[in-house]
Amino acid sequence: IQNTPIQNPTKRPPASRHHPNETLPKHTKRRTMVFYFKSRCGEFTMYMGKDKYENEDLIKYGLPEDCWFHVDDLSSAHVYLRLKPGMNMDDIPEDALLDCASLVKANSIAGCKKTSVYVVYTRWKNLKKTASMVEGQVGYHRPENVRRMSVEKNNSIVNALNKTKTELYPDLYQQQQDRQREMQMAKKQARREEEKLRKEQELKQKQIKEERSYDRIMSGEKMLSNAEVEASVDNSAAEAYEDDFFLKDLLPF
C-alpha cells in the first residue's frame, strides 16, 4: 500500500516559531507534522501525516489503541483512529468508521474522484514494515485481521471534520514511551492486586478448613471428661467418684 500527500497541505512554519530554543531528542532530527481531527460524535480523535514521509513516523510511533485506515488498492493518506483503552475494532461506532473512511477517501488523489471506494482498516500493531518497503508502504502481520468496507463520497462529513482540523508537531516517540510506561505500571498494579486477592482467598480457605476439621474439634487436648467438666464447676468430682464406689459395694451381686 502506497501513500500520496494530502491535498493542499498547510506549509510548514519556520522551526523557530514552533520550537524556540528546543533541542530535539536523539531519536529524531525533526518533529512530525500531524493533522488532528475530532469525530462527529466528539468521542474520538483521528489523525494523519502531511505526506508519506510524515507517515513513516506515524507507522513507527503508533500507540496500541490506534486503528489504521487506508483506501484499498489506491494511494491515499494514512488515517488513524485513537480508540479508548480496552476497545477493539468491534467496539468502533458506525459513525466513527464512516468518519475515518470518508476522510481517507477524500485524501486520495484517485479515490476522491470516484463515487465509492473500498477502505481497509486494522489495528496499528498489525502493521508490518520491512526494510525493502518504500516510504508510506506497509504490510500486515496477520492479513486475516484486516477489515474492508465500502464508502461513498460524502462532502458534508468531510467538511464537518475539516472544521475540527488542527496542525501540531508532537513528539511521537515520547508519547509512545509514556504510553508504554503507563501500560507497564497498570500491569504491575493488576498483578499486585491479583496476588493480594489470591492470598486472601487462601487464608479464607484455610480458616474454613480449620473450622470444619474433625481433628480440631475432637482433639484429645481439647476434650474433657465428665469428671473434669464437673470439677471445673466445683470440687465435687472426687466426692462423686467415691460415692459411686461405695454404692457399688452395697449393691447385691
Side-chain angles (χ1 to χ4, degrees):
I1 295 174
Q2 300 258 344
N3 171 77
T4 56
I6 67 170
Q7 297 152 11
N8 300 323
T10 303
K11 291 184 179 180
R12 181 191 295 274
S16 58
R17 176 180 168 187
H18 286 265
H19 316 291
N21 301 322
E22 181 179 14
T23 301
L24 294 179
K26 294 181 179 179
H27 57 267
T28 181
K29 295 181 180 179
R30 60 179 174 82
R31 289 285 180 88
T32 304
M33 178 191 289
V34 182
F35 298 125
Y36 289 90
F37 304 82
K38 265 295 184 183
S39 63
R40 288 175 296 153
C41 66
E43 295 294 323
F44 301 96
T45 296
M46 298 168 289
Y47 67 94
M48 63 183 181
K50 171 187 174 183
D51 53 34
K52 62 183 179 182
Y53 303 105
E54 306 282 348
N55 280 326
E56 284 298 296
D57 288 339
L58 300 185
I59 294 169
K60 186 176 183 180
Y61 298 120
L63 300 187
E65 294 82 15
D66 290 341
C67 190
W68 171 89
F69 290 76
H70 196 281
V71 175
D72 194 20
D73 294 329
L74 294 174
S75 296
S76 76
H78 294 207
V79 172
Y80 292 82
L81 173 68
R82 182 147 295 169
L83 304 180
K84 309 292 184 183
M87 288 183 65
N88 56 50
M89 291 197 296
D90 292 329
D91 301 324
I92 303 175
E94 290 295 328
D95 284 351
L97 285 175
L98 185 56
D99 287 350
C100 294
S102 299
L103 191 60
V104 79
K105 178 186 181 303
N107 288 283
S108 169
I109 292 177
C112 70
K113 300 173 184 177
K114 296 179 177 291
T115 303
S116 65
V117 297
Y118 281 100
V119 171
V120 291
Y121 62 101
T122 190
R123 299 298 293 266
W124 165 80
K125 60 186 177 182
N126 192 35
L127 298 181
K128 179 181 180 181
K129 185 74 178 181
T130 63
S132 62
M133 293 179 177
V134 299
E135 288 84 357
Q137 184 180 10
V138 296
Y140 311 114
H141 293 289
R142 294 186 177 182
E144 66 273 15
N145 290 342
V146 179
R147 301 188 182 184
R148 191 168 181 258
M149 63 180 290
S150 176
V151 61
E152 296 183 353
K153 190 171 187 177
N154 195 319
N155 290 331
S156 61
I157 292 179
V158 176
N159 291 337
L161 296 175
N162 280 332
K163 290 180 180 179
T164 70
K165 180 179 176 181
T166 57
E167 178 186 319
L168 300 174
Y169 292 81
D171 186 341
L172 298 174
Y173 170 83
Q174 191 60 50
Q175 286 183 358
Q176 188 183 69
Q177 293 298 305
D178 292 344
R179 181 62 185 131
Q180 289 177 351
R181 191 176 298 108
E182 288 176 2
M183 294 173 64
Q184 290 173 356
M185 293 178 62
K187 287 181 180 179
K188 288 181 180 179
Q189 181 62 27
R191 285 196 295 266
R192 285 194 290 265
E193 292 178 356
E194 289 176 0
E195 181 65 15
K196 180 180 177 182
L197 180 60
R198 182 186 65 80
K199 290 182 178 180
E200 289 176 350
Q201 290 176 340
E202 286 181 353
L203 180 60
K204 185 176 181 180
Q205 290 297 323
K206 183 178 179 180
Q207 292 173 343
I208 293 174
K209 185 177 180 180
E210 288 180 352
E211 291 173 357
R212 294 179 178 177
S213 173
Y214 180 82
D215 292 338
R216 177 177 178 275
I217 297 174
M218 302 301 292
S219 64
E221 299 178 345
K222 301 187 178 187
M223 291 180 64
L224 298 175
S225 65
N226 290 337
E228 288 174 327
V229 173
E230 293 177 4
S232 66
V233 178
D234 53 36
N235 295 325
S236 63
E239 296 176 359
Y241 178 80
E242 291 176 357
D243 289 344
D244 184 60
F245 176 81
F246 287 114
L247 183 60
K248 288 181 180 179
D249 286 341
L250 296 175
L251 291 176
F253 290 101

